[in-house]
Amino acid sequence: DAKTTQPPSMDCAEGRAANLPCNHSTISGNEYVYWYRQIHSQGPQYIIHGLKNNETNEMASLIITEDRKSSTLILPHATLRDTAVYYCIVRVARGADGLTFGKGTHLIIQP
Amino acid sequence: SQTIHQWPATLVQPVGSPLSLECTVEGTSNPNLYWYRQAAGRGLQLLFYSVGIGQISSEVPQNLSASRPQDRQFILSSKKLLLSDSGFYLCAWSVGSRVGGYTFGSGTRLTVV
């Protein structure tokens, strides 16, 4: 799986958009970008994934650069409940050998 | 819909005692199953995964073992717990034919005393 680099922590004001960056410069053509988050003392929660097109669902938007070497997860209107550790993971779609989690970004939403 | 059950939610066990944590999945067939551990202040570490009944792959050598006696049941065990086994244990599942996410259980917080 390709390596990812994320800032260790970020702050965002409640109600504003939270933009979480991820660098994955060694990504391969068949690898997807996945985003998960882990709220304190809970299991990780799937947010969104994408291959090369931008994606949007009810939780977030994923913007992937044209060269696919970086991406940004956007939470459009952050709430206090969005405070969590956010993980960017790059891997092939159908592998059965599990996800490898890095240290992620600790996003703190400020009231 | 698919659900994943993991129990107990919390557990306090003495050093040297055995351990058995159970995870079951509902609403899907032939899932890939996973056990992760998160030690205090540390990241998520994949311990075991299974692609079918009786098939277990171990990611790290340790004091733990896993078994999959039924299609949707995954068990994490230890014969003798160590202090270093304390942590937050998470079960997860995925379906190989589905491009998308892994679903995690709510976890078991194990404290070895």
Side-chain angles (χ1 to χ4, degrees), chain A residues 34 36 38 43 94-99, chain B residues 34 36 38 46 96 99-102:
Chain A
Y34 290 85
Y36 283 77
Q38 186 177 22
R94 292 184 171 82
D97 55 347
L99 297 172
Chain B
Y34 308 87
Y36 283 83
Q38 190 169 35
L46 178 63
V99 175
Y102 289 57

Side-chain angles (χ1 to χ4, degrees), chain B residues 2-5 23-28 31 33 72-73 91-93:
Chain B
Q2 302 93 350
T3 55
I4 181 168
H5 301 281
C23 171
T24 59
V25 179
E26 294 178 358
T28 187
L33 297 173
R72 288 169 287 180
Q73 184 185 30
C91 180
W93 73 272

